[in-house]
Amino acid sequence: MTRAEYNKCVDHYADGVYRFILKNIKDTERARDIVQDSFSKMWEKVGDINTEKAKSYLFTTAYHTMIDEIRHEKAKTSFNENIYDNLTVNHSWNDLKEVLQKALDTLPLLQKTVIMLRDYEGYSYEEIGNITNLSDSQVKVYIYRGRVALKNFIGSMDKVI
Amino acid sequence: MEIKKINIHNYEEYIINYLDGNMTPVEVAELFLFFENHPEIDENIHDLRMMKVKADNENAFGFNNALKIDHDADGLEISPENYIYYFTAYLEGDLSEKGNESVEHFIQKHPETKNELELLKQTKVQPPLNVIFPQKSGLKRKSTLIMPARIQWAAIAATLLILFSVYLRLKPESEESLIKTIIGDEMTITETPVKQQEKEQQKEEKTNTTNHISKDQLEVKTNLPEKTKNSQPKSQESREEVKPIRRLPAHKPTINHAQPFEAKKRDEYTSLYEDIRLSQELMLAYAENQEQFTNDYEGLQLINLGRRFNHYVRSGAQVANQVSGSMGGWLLADLSIKGFNLLTNNELKLVREVNPDGSTGNVSIGDDEASYLLRKSAL
C-alpha cells in the first residue's frame, strides 16, 4: 500500500471505525485514541498490507484494541443491569431508531459487535469472524441471538409505550 | 449469567449452568459448538448430550441448527416451534430462493407470526452517519523525502571529508609553505611571464610560418570568398587580447593584532629560538636580494622594505611572521629601523647587523642581559 492509498483509507474508513468503536465504548476521547492507534499500526505495516485488506485490518485492530481497553478497565456493567436501567429510566422513547440504538446498547459486547459489523459495514460472517476471531458458525449464532434479543426488546417497548 | 467466551478453562462452568437449566438456547448452542471443536472433551460428556433441557419460553427455537451455515436453506423444516430461526435466516439472506418462498408460505399459513417478522425487520441497525471522526486530516501522512541508505552513507562520508579538510586548513603553515609564500611566489611570478613570452614567441613563429603558407595558398586560391579573407585579422586581434597582464598578484596583509610579549615569555622565546631565527632570516634574505637599498644613513643601510613588503607592512614597519609548527601563532617584528630588527615593545630584541657592503652580519635575539646569536656569516 502506498502513502496515497493509505490516505484514501483514512478518508474512506476513519468514520466507520470511529462509529463502530464509539458505539461500543461511549467515550469520544477513547474512541478517537483507538482509531488513531489503529491507523498508526496500519501505517507501521503499510508496506505489508494490501489495499483490499486495509478495511478489515483497521476494524480488526480497532476491535482488539477496544477489547483490551475494556478488559483493562474491567467494565462491570452487566447485561441485565443495562436492561433494567434502560427500561426504568429511559421510558419516554418514541422514535424507533432511538429505541433500536438503546436496544443495541443492552446487548453483550460480542453480540453488539457482530451486529454492528454486519449492519454498519455489511460484512459477511467470514469477515466478521476474521475480525473477532470467531468461527463463521459462532458469528451466525451471535447475530441470530442478537436479532432475537433486539426483537424482544423492541416488542417489549411496544407494549410499554 | 455474565457473557464471556467459552474456552478450555471455563467450559465446566457452562456445563454446570447447562445442567442447572440457567442457559439460554443460544448459550447451549455455543457450548455444543465448543464440544464439536474439542472432540477430546466431547468424548467425556457423552451422557451430557443425552440430556435434554426443556424449553420454557418462545426463544426455544432451533439454534443448534444455526451452527450449520447452510442448514435447511430451502426452509423445508420450518414449523411453529422453530420459525424464528427461519425468519432470522430469511432476513439475513441465508436462505435459498426456495427457502424464502417457504417462509412466505409459512406466514400466509400462520398470519399471527407476521408481527414477529416485522419486529425482526426493525432490528436492522442503521449507522449514525452524523458521527464522523473529528481529526481525519491528522491521521493522514504527508510525503517525506526518504533517502536511500547509500545516499545517507555518502552524505556522512562527505561531511567527514569536509570536517577533515577544515581541520587541515586550521593547522599552522609549514616552513616550506612559508618559504613558498615569501619567496617562491615571487619567483614563479617573475618566471611565468618569461616562459609565456617564450611560448608566445614560439607561437608567433609558428603563425608566421602558417601565414606564409596561407599566403601562398591564397595566391593560388584567389577565388575564395571575402569572408574567409576578413576572418584572418580578427583572429590575430583576439590573440592579442589573450596576452597575460604582467603584474604581481595582490597579497592580502597578514597583520597580527596580538598583544606584545612580556618579559615572562622569555623562556618561551628561548624555546622558539629556531623558529624565530628561520622566519626572520627568510625575510632578511629576501631584503638583501632586493636592489632597493637606501644608502648612507648615518653609516648604516636602511632596508626600504616598505616598498617591497607593502602587502605585509602596516603602520610603517610592523611585519607579521608566522612561527611555524610551534606556537601556532604570529610574532610581530619591527624592521627597517636603522638596520635593526626589533621585536615590538618587548625587552627581547631581534638585532641584525648590516655589513658595509649591505649584506647581513650577525643576527641575534636577546635583551640587555642575555643575547642569543642567530648567525655569524652572511646568507
Side-chain angles (χ1 to χ4, degrees):
Chain A
M1 188 194 296
T2 64
R3 182 183 54 81
E5 288 168 337
Y6 168 86
N7 286 338
K8 276 186 182 177
C9 287
V10 173
D11 287 331
H12 293 162
Y13 308 135
D15 290 339
V17 179
Y18 180 62
R19 281 182 208 122
F20 171 62
I21 300 297
L22 183 62
K23 186 65 186 168
N24 275 302
I25 62 174
K26 305 286 182 191
D27 186 329
T28 53
E29 290 296 325
R30 285 168 62 204
R32 201 178 302 166
D33 289 346
I34 289 171
V35 173
Q36 282 176 340
D37 186 53
S38 303
F39 274 96
S40 295
K41 284 176 180 170
M42 189 169 84
W43 177 250
E44 286 170 10
K45 296 184 178 178
V46 72
D48 305 327
I49 300 172
N50 288 329
T51 313
E52 296 77 26
K53 300 282 182 185
K55 185 181 177 186
S56 176
Y57 179 87
L58 280 170
F59 274 91
T60 306
T61 309
Y63 170 73
H64 288 289
T65 309
M66 180 186 74
I67 293 294
D68 289 343
E69 281 225 357
I70 290 170
R71 282 178 183 160
H72 185 257
E73 295 197 1
K74 296 177 181 175
K76 291 178 181 176
T77 310
S78 71
F79 173 58
N80 291 330
E81 282 170 355
N82 264 336
I83 289 181
Y84 180 78
D85 289 344
N86 288 328
L87 286 174
T88 54
V89 178
N90 300 318
H91 50 75
S92 60
W93 304 321
N94 50 13
D95 178 58
L96 176 63
K97 197 174 175 183
E98 192 181 352
V99 171
L100 189 59
Q101 289 297 325
K102 293 293 178 186
L104 194 62
D105 291 340
T106 65
L107 294 182
L109 180 63
L110 207 47
Q111 285 183 31
K112 188 176 171 180
T113 299
V114 295
I115 283 187
M116 281 198 296
L117 289 172
R118 181 78 167 171
D119 291 352
Y120 282 14
E121 304 298 330
Y123 276 127
S124 67
Y125 296 148
E126 185 184 0
E127 288 170 325
I128 295 171
N130 289 334
I131 292 171
T132 55
N133 281 345
L134 295 171
S135 68
D136 296 359
S137 301
Q138 283 174 309
V139 171
K140 185 180 173 187
V141 167
Y142 278 123
I143 286 176
Y144 279 33
R145 180 182 173 187
R147 294 271 182 237
V148 173
L150 291 175
K151 176 191 76 73
N152 292 339
F153 187 91
I154 294 169
S156 65
M157 289 310 300
D158 279 348
K159 288 172 189 171
V160 170
I161 293 168
Chain B
M1 174 186 157
E2 189 179 351
I3 301 303
K4 52 189 174 183
K5 191 177 176 182
I6 185 169
N7 57 46
I8 196 74
H9 303 295
N10 67 3
Y11 75 93
E12 289 170 337
E13 186 183 344
Y14 278 73
I15 293 173
I16 292 168
N17 285 325
Y18 173 75
L19 294 173
D20 290 342
N22 294 332
M23 292 176 74
T24 65
V26 175
E27 288 167 342
V28 173
E30 284 178 347
L31 177 63
F32 281 97
L33 175 68
F34 177 76
F35 291 153
E36 283 182 12
N37 292 332
H38 297 81
E40 72 280 4
I41 298 171
D42 193 35
E43 287 176 5
N44 297 329
I45 57 161
H46 177 72
D47 293 340
L48 193 67
R49 280 189 170 278
M50 297 298 106
M51 296 177 66
K52 287 185 180 176
V53 178
K54 185 184 178 183
D56 57 352
N57 56 38
E58 62 178 351
N59 289 333
F61 37 80
F63 269 127
N64 277 335
N65 294 330
L67 296 173
K68 299 171 186 173
I69 289 294
D70 294 324
H71 169 71
D72 192 20
D74 292 339
L76 300 175
E77 298 175 11
I78 187 170
S79 69
E81 287 76 35
N82 64 9
Y83 68 92
I84 290 291
Y85 166 78
Y86 286 97
F87 282 6
T88 313
Y90 174 78
L91 291 172
E92 292 296 330
D94 292 338
L95 296 178
S96 64
E97 201 171 320
K98 195 178 176 184
N100 291 338
E101 288 173 3
S102 299
V103 169
E104 287 160 9
H105 182 68
F106 178 82
I107 293 170
Q108 285 176 357
K109 243 180 142 180
H110 303 275
E112 71 279 4
T113 61
K114 191 179 180 182
N115 188 41
E116 296 287 332
L117 182 64
E118 292 302 320
L119 282 173
L120 274 172
K121 281 181 181 174
Q122 292 173 6
T123 62
K124 282 280 180 183
V125 187
Q126 297 299 318
L129 297 175
N130 59 325
V131 177
I132 56 170
F133 188 75
Q135 297 167 334
K136 214 179 288 179
S137 60
L139 295 175
K140 293 185 178 178
R141 303 285 172 169
K142 294 175 183 174
S143 60
T144 51
L145 181 64
I146 301 169
M147 289 173 67
R150 62 174 182 271
I151 295 179
Q152 289 180 355
W153 281 111
I156 292 168
T159 309
L160 289 174
L161 277 173
I162 291 167
L163 289 173
F164 187 63
S165 62
V166 168
Y167 168 74
L168 288 178
R169 292 289 300 168
L170 290 174
K171 282 183 72 176
E173 206 171 335
S174 65
E175 277 183 23
E176 288 178 4
S177 67
L178 188 64
I179 293 166
K180 281 181 184 175
T181 306
I182 296 175
I183 297 172
D185 284 353
E186 297 290 333
M187 296 295 286
T188 49
I189 288 160
T190 50
E191 280 177 8
T192 308
V194 175
K195 285 180 181 175
Q196 283 179 346
Q197 278 180 348
E198 288 173 357
K199 285 178 184 174
E200 282 169 8
Q201 282 175 358
Q202 287 173 357
K203 278 183 180 177
E204 282 173 6
E205 285 172 5
K206 283 182 183 176
T207 40
N208 287 334
T209 325
T210 30
N211 283 341
H212 288 305
I213 295 166
S214 59
K215 278 176 184 175
D216 296 338
Q217 287 172 342
L218 280 171
E219 284 173 4
V220 177
K221 299 174 182 178
T222 47
N223 293 329
L224 280 172
E226 289 183 359
K227 280 185 180 177
T228 322
K229 290 176 184 175
N230 295 334
S231 63
Q232 196 72 13
K234 278 185 181 176
S235 62
Q236 283 178 351
E237 285 173 11
S238 61
R239 196 185 301 130
E240 285 173 4
E241 288 172 4
V242 175
K243 282 184 178 177
I245 301 167
R246 295 183 184 181
R247 59 179 177 82
L248 294 174
H251 285 262
K252 289 183 179 177
T254 49
I255 303 302
N256 185 7
H257 299 288
Q259 293 298 314
F261 294 101
E262 298 173 3
K264 293 176 184 176
K265 298 281 184 180
R266 198 171 303 163
D267 292 340
E268 288 182 17
Y269 263 110
T270 306
S271 64
L272 297 173
Y273 163 78
E274 269 307 305
D275 294 319
I276 295 168
R277 183 182 68 81
L278 279 171
S279 60
Q280 295 299 319
E281 280 195 356
L282 284 168
M283 281 194 302
L284 295 172
Y286 181 86
E288 286 172 6
N289 291 329
Q290 304 305 308
E291 295 174 353
Q292 298 165 351
F293 289 134
T294 307
N295 294 324
D296 300 325
Y297 185 83
E298 293 180 1
L300 296 171
Q301 288 184 330
L302 179 66
I303 305 170
N304 193 0
L305 291 175
R307 291 178 60 183
R308 294 298 301 171
F309 276 116
N310 55 351
H311 298 300
Y312 296 97
V313 176
R314 179 69 62 88
S315 68
Q318 277 194 335
V319 174
N321 262 347
Q322 188 180 21
V323 180
S324 58
S326 52
M327 286 181 70
W330 296 79
L331 296 178
L332 280 174
D334 282 349
L335 296 180
S336 180
I337 303 173
K338 296 181 181 179
F340 290 94
N341 303 298
L342 305 173
L343 291 168
T344 307
N345 292 333
N346 199 315
E347 295 172 15
L348 200 65
K349 296 176 181 177
L350 184 70
V351 179
R352 169 191 177 248
E353 293 176 8
V354 183
N355 295 325
D357 59 352
S359 62
T360 302
N362 287 334
V363 178
S364 61
I365 188 168
D367 53 17
D368 295 335
E369 295 177 6
S371 174
Y372 300 91
L373 190 63
L374 298 182
R375 65 168 178 147
K376 288 181 179 177
S377 57
L379 283 171

